[in-house]
Amino acid sequence: MLTFLASILFLIVGYITYGKVVERIFGADDSRRTPAYAKQDGFDYSPMSWWKGSLIQLLNIAGLGPIFGAVMGALYGPIAFVWIVLGSIFAGAVHDYFAGMMSLRHNGEQYPALVGKYLGKYAQSSINIVSIALMVLVAAAFTAGPAELIAQLTPLTFTVAIVLVFVYLLVAAVLPINKIIGKVYPVFGGILIFMAVAIGFGMLFLFEHPIPNLTFTSMHPEELPLWPLMMVTISCGAISGFHSTQSPILARTIKKESEGRKVFYGAMIGEGVIALIWAAAGMTFFGNTGGLQEAVAAGGAAGVVNEISQTTLGTLGGILAILGVIILPITTGDTALRSSRMMLGDVLRQVTKKSFDGRKSKLLLIVPVALPAFLLSQIDYSFLWRYVGWTNQLVATVMLWTGAMYLLKQAKFHWICSVPATFMTGVVSTYIFYAPEGFGLDYGLSMILGSIIWLVVIGWFAWQVYQEKRQTHPSVAHSNAN
């Protein structure tokens, strides 16, 4: 229990202290006019209070990620607490803050456009494809999952359920942000928080088994390689590239720059707390990681969440579990489509030099991303989710390098982005070679190949640092060369 409580405390202290450090290094300035006012259109650009924005951001970035991902990550044992805490404070929250604040500084631009400004046009072209593909996969996965549960609980067939869910996604994705998202989603964000807090109290006072502490003998089961699998399994709740596509949505609604720490950094820390609670619940409720593994094999992560919720909270827990498994992924799916619509608009604007800000244009832009998402949603949910993980963390890694380049060019302390970017580069480089959905190579060979890519990326950034110093202090760079 001590490890769990300490982890919660570290997250809170991290927000209060390191969050302010990150804000100060970035240089939040309330004298600047934000895009919510400068480009106000009553559709995507619309001023919103920070507390409402924070709840919407939490719901957008979370969905079922910090619940399902944390439950699966709990299979690694108490070491998962360490990754959630360190990942949230030093990687995930920094990632989300820079994704949101850099968008705000660049008139609400989407993630690929930011990549293009600081990593070049080739990187932007590649990440445009990857990020839109990620949005389509997320929308598909977060349509199929709820539809399966609706079909189980109601007389509706899976086909009818999936059509109904998708119709809602389309409507929410093309309506002004204040129509549905701004009014209803803060309530759903409150449900997500209430559900986690209730499970946390139940775990502390009602569970039969104590929350395990981190020891040298309980690090993780040997059959589950910690590196790099845990860092991809627990993405939401530590660091997730999907967040970089969601943060610009809220960047277009923030009234002043100082609210960015609450909306972006704070929402990620909140997601970390939720992930901690569910990871601890998964380890504790079934007695040990072996019991959890059996429960996951029997009913999947959804079955685990449902059993914990109903046992802990009774009928209310069952209702909340159903609400969570149905509503939370749907609310993430619609914002995924909304983001992909915005990204596609940016791509077409660059190619055609025409504006796609009109309402008719928004309706037309949703079709090319909605159609493949709908077709993919009819594939097995677990199969889809396997391909979300690596793509998600690749997007996160690129966003961190984008933040590092932004700070480097601003002559600011780039290490707050470049260090976690370096770490995540190692994760995605090794994972793609080892994972079954990747090349499925031998673990040792995967580590070697991943290390080679890691060294190449580190060399590239070192060269960027040298070039920046050379441009800023040419005489110093010349003397060093001699």
Side-chain angles (χ1 to χ4, degrees):
M1 181 182 295
L2 182 61
T3 303
F4 170 73
L5 295 177
S7 297
I8 296 288
L9 179 62
F10 281 136
L11 283 177
I12 295 172
V13 172
Y15 168 74
I16 295 172
T17 58
Y18 197 67
K20 288 184 179 179
V21 170
V22 172
E23 180 183 53
R24 185 169 64 252
I25 291 173
F26 179 84
D29 182 1
D30 284 346
S31 67
R32 291 174 175 265
R33 195 181 185 201
T34 65
Y37 294 108
K39 300 184 68 175
Q40 187 171 358
D41 61 2
F43 202 97
D44 292 323
Y45 295 88
S46 182
M48 189 181 296
S49 63
W50 71 263
W51 65 267
K52 185 181 289 188
S54 295
L55 285 172
I56 294 172
Q57 174 75 356
L58 176 61
L59 192 67
N60 285 0
I61 66 176
L64 287 175
I67 300 177
F68 281 15
V71 166
M72 298 302 293
L75 292 170
Y76 293 91
I79 190 64
F81 295 152
V82 178
W83 167 236
I84 291 171
V85 171
L86 296 181
S88 294
I89 296 173
F90 298 106
V94 174
H95 166 280
D96 290 14
Y97 183 82
F98 273 83
M101 294 302 291
M102 287 176 64
S103 173
L104 186 148
R105 284 282 177 91
H106 292 84
N107 296 314
E109 286 189 346
Q110 290 294 300
Y111 160 69
L114 299 176
V115 172
K117 286 184 181 296
Y118 295 98
L119 298 184
K121 292 183 178 179
Y122 292 114
Q124 180 178 2
S125 299
S126 300
I127 213 64
N128 260 318
I129 297 171
V130 173
S131 54
I132 291 177
L134 175 61
M135 294 303 94
V136 170
L137 283 171
V138 168
F142 282 0
T143 300
E148 287 180 2
L149 187 58
I150 291 173
Q152 293 173 13
L153 298 174
T154 69
L156 298 177
T157 64
F158 174 74
T159 302
V160 173
I162 209 166
V163 169
L164 290 176
V165 171
F166 210 82
V167 167
Y168 168 78
L169 296 187
L170 288 175
V171 171
V174 298
L175 282 177
I177 194 167
N178 272 327
K179 290 295 183 182
I180 295 179
I181 294 175
K183 292 180 179 179
V184 181
Y185 283 21
V187 177
F188 293 153
I191 291 174
L192 177 66
I193 294 171
F194 174 79
M195 190 176 178
V197 171
I199 293 298
F201 275 103
M203 180 173 54
L204 291 173
F205 301 109
L206 300 177
F207 282 15
E208 178 181 353
H209 306 284
I211 304 173
N213 287 314
L214 179 64
T215 66
F216 289 106
T217 58
S218 67
M219 297 294 277
H220 65 280
E222 293 183 1
E223 67 271 16
L224 295 173
L226 183 67
W227 174 273
L229 299 187
M230 187 179 72
M231 291 75 186
V232 176
T233 302
I234 306 178
S235 53
C236 292
I239 178 172
S240 168
F242 177 70
H243 300 185
S244 65
T245 67
Q246 300 302 291
S247 294
I249 295 177
L250 273 300
R252 300 179 177 193
T253 69
I254 287 180
K255 295 180 178 180
K256 54 184 181 180
E257 290 194 355
S258 61
E259 295 176 349
R261 184 168 69 94
K262 301 171 185 175
V263 174
F264 302 120
Y265 198 97
M268 181 62 231
I269 294 298
E271 186 181 35
V273 172
I274 293 171
L276 273 177
I277 290 172
W278 280 102
M283 296 176 208
T284 307
F285 186 84
F286 299 97
N288 51 47
T289 54
L292 173 61
Q293 199 161 22
E294 292 177 3
V296 170
V304 169
V305 171
N306 186 55
E307 185 174 353
I308 292 175
S309 299
Q310 290 197 34
T311 303
T312 307
L313 304 174
T315 304
L316 175 61
I319 294 173
L320 287 175
I322 292 171
L323 283 174
V325 175
I326 293 177
I327 293 176
L328 295 181
I330 290 175
T331 58
T332 300
D334 66 35
T335 52
L337 284 182
R338 192 180 193 92
S339 296
S340 59
R341 183 257 294 169
M342 292 176 176
M343 291 179 192
L344 185 58
D346 286 347
V347 172
L348 293 177
R349 188 180 298 110
Q350 292 172 5
V351 174
T352 65
K353 307 302 180 184
K354 295 181 180 179
S355 173
F356 291 86
D357 294 330
R359 300 201 174 201
K360 290 184 179 179
S361 297
K362 289 177 169 62
L363 288 170
L364 292 174
L365 288 173
I366 201 68
V367 176
V369 291
L371 183 59
F374 178 74
L375 295 175
L376 285 171
S377 67
Q378 299 174 64
I379 299 175
D380 179 61
Y381 172 84
S382 59
F383 176 82
L384 282 173
W385 195 245
R386 285 172 55 190
Y387 289 91
V388 171
W390 180 79
T391 308
N392 185 44
Q393 298 304 63
L394 174 64
V395 169
T397 304
V398 174
M399 181 62 235
L400 284 171
W401 282 123
T402 303
M405 285 299 299
Y406 170 82
L407 291 174
L408 182 63
K409 291 182 179 297
Q410 296 287 325
K412 295 182 178 180
F413 192 73
H414 67 77
W415 298 99
I416 60 172
C417 284
S418 58
V419 170
T422 300
F423 179 85
M424 290 305 299
T425 299
V427 170
V428 297
S429 298
T430 51
Y431 183 89
I432 191 61
F433 290 111
Y434 179 67
E437 62 269 26
F439 294 101
L441 300 179
D442 173 76
Y443 187 76
L445 178 60
S446 300
M447 297 305 105
I448 294 172
L449 294 175
S451 297
I452 293 172
I453 295 176
W454 182 79
L455 288 172
V456 169
V457 175
I458 298 307
W460 161 80
F461 187 69
W463 175 253
Q464 297 300 319
V465 173
Y466 169 76
Q467 289 288 85
E468 197 64 31
K469 287 184 177 179
R470 185 178 181 182
Q471 292 176 10
T472 307
H473 304 289
S475 60
V476 174
H478 180 72
S479 64
N480 287 341
N482 293 331

